[in-house]
Amino acid sequence: MRKKKEQKTQNAKKQMTFVLALMVFLFAYCYIMYTGLGNNNLLHTNVELKGGDDVISVRLQEIIPFIPKVDASIITAYQNRKILNTDIDNDVLLMKAYENSEIKTNVSFNTVLERLYGTNLFLVNKDFNPTGSLNCTYDSNTMKYTCSTQEYNDIIYDCVRYINKLNINENNYYLTEDVIFYSHEVSEDGILYKIYTDATYSEMVSSFTESNVNTDIEKYLMDKYQIYTNTYKSNFTVSKSTYRWFSTEKI
């Protein structure tokens, strides 16, 4: 009787070992098939992700060279023509380096910009404050930046950027966005918003104060002023898990 129980126990252990081995095999097989490891055919990927809910689309949008700005003439990625890295205003590059660097030095800024935008940039290290609220002073002796925030109530030229879709073709990434250009400033009646037709901020089509807004401002603009949407497509590449922006153009 005891031998029979021991035999049953051994059979149960063998079955359990077999099931576990099978599960490990299936997991490894699914992982390889999903990631494309060892399958050269999967290197030729063509994927479309819609809505911007994925982390890749969000990260790509973050590195597009755009910032809210105090001067409408400052060149960011969103213009009425195709924009390359060499077209971007120096202060915009400094701000993107600031946003993506822990150490605020000449060397770290250049390292970050080379990783995000390429090696053919010419960066002028100097004081900058294109947003009005972040004031950075450059010390040429230490090659470091000292930055502080300050209150700014004058006009800011901004835009709402809604991710439409992301297309991936091998190592090329194409992010499509819907963009509405607007400005905001403090007035006697609160924050005053103005809507513009395009990136020049020259033709205002509507204005309202914050008392008219009953939700998040970006959602409000996309819901109410969608007729003034501009569509842009940005081109990126990926190498060793690093994304690099190449260009943005209106489509």
Side-chain angles (χ1 to χ4, degrees):
M1 187 71 175
R2 183 176 180 182
K3 289 184 178 181
K4 287 184 178 180
K5 287 184 178 180
E6 291 177 351
Q7 186 66 36
K8 287 183 179 180
T9 301
Q10 290 177 358
N11 289 339
K13 288 181 178 179
K14 289 180 181 179
Q15 290 178 355
M16 181 63 70
T17 301
F18 174 77
V19 170
L20 290 173
L22 181 61
M23 289 175 65
V24 170
F25 171 78
L26 290 174
F27 176 82
Y29 176 80
C30 291
Y31 177 79
I32 291 172
M33 293 302 294
Y34 179 76
T35 59
L37 293 175
N39 187 349
N40 291 331
N41 292 329
L42 291 180
L43 293 177
H44 303 288
T45 55
N46 194 340
V47 178
E48 181 174 283
L49 305 175
K50 293 186 177 181
D53 294 329
D54 59 284
V55 293
I56 298 176
S57 296
V58 173
R59 177 54 186 157
L60 292 178
Q61 187 181 58
E62 287 175 348
I63 69 174
I64 292 174
F66 168 80
I67 58 169
K69 52 191 182 179
V70 297
D71 185 351
S73 65
I74 293 176
I75 297 178
T76 70
Y78 304 109
Q79 303 296 315
N80 289 344
R81 59 184 175 88
K82 185 175 183 178
I83 295 295
L84 306 176
N85 56 359
T86 52
D87 298 318
I88 300 299
D89 190 278
N90 189 79
D91 282 10
V92 176
L93 294 175
L94 288 171
M95 276 297 300
K96 299 310 289 185
Y98 172 87
E99 292 172 354
N100 289 276
S101 308
E102 290 187 7
I103 303 173
K104 314 306 182 186
T105 65
N106 179 332
V107 175
S108 63
F109 274 26
N110 279 282
T111 300
V112 166
L113 292 175
E114 180 177 325
R115 174 170 55 86
L116 296 180
Y117 306 118
T119 59
N120 62 333
L121 295 176
F122 180 75
L123 183 68
V124 178
N125 288 282
K126 62 183 184 66
D127 300 351
F128 66 95
N129 184 17
T131 66
S133 57
L134 180 68
N135 186 33
C136 292
T137 303
Y138 181 65
D139 187 333
S140 58
N141 293 320
T142 62
M143 295 189 297
K144 294 181 179 180
Y145 285 93
T146 302
C147 301
S148 60
T149 58
Q150 61 187 32
E151 187 176 353
Y152 182 81
N153 294 324
D154 290 334
I155 190 166
I156 290 288
Y157 297 94
D158 207 339
C159 68
V160 177
R161 302 185 291 161
Y162 175 79
I163 298 173
N164 189 308
K165 62 181 177 179
L166 170 64
N167 292 95
I168 305 173
N169 187 354
E170 298 186 19
N171 288 329
N172 296 311
Y173 289 59
Y174 303 94
L175 188 72
T176 304
E177 301 172 284
D178 292 331
V179 179
I180 295 177
F181 296 96
Y182 75 101
S183 67
H184 56 87
E185 59 188 300
V186 176
S187 68
E188 294 180 355
D189 299 320
I191 300 177
L192 174 64
Y193 296 94
K194 298 178 182 178
I195 314 301
Y196 301 87
T197 56
D198 59 24
T200 64
Y201 295 94
S202 57
E203 184 180 350
M204 187 187 73
V205 291
S206 183
S207 65
F208 57 90
T209 61
E210 61 182 338
S211 60
N212 298 98
V213 182
N214 53 12
T215 184
D216 175 76
I217 183 60
E218 294 193 354
K219 185 178 186 305
Y220 181 84
L221 292 175
M222 276 296 176
D223 290 344
K224 191 172 178 62
Y225 295 96
Q226 195 170 18
I227 188 175
Y228 301 113
T229 294
N230 295 260
T231 302
Y232 285 86
K233 189 179 208 178
S234 296
N235 181 16
F236 308 80
T237 190
V238 61
S239 177
K240 297 180 181 179
S241 300
T242 296
Y243 301 106
R244 176 174 291 181
W245 174 85
F246 276 147
S247 66
T248 296
E249 59 185 315
K250 192 174 180 179
I251 58 175

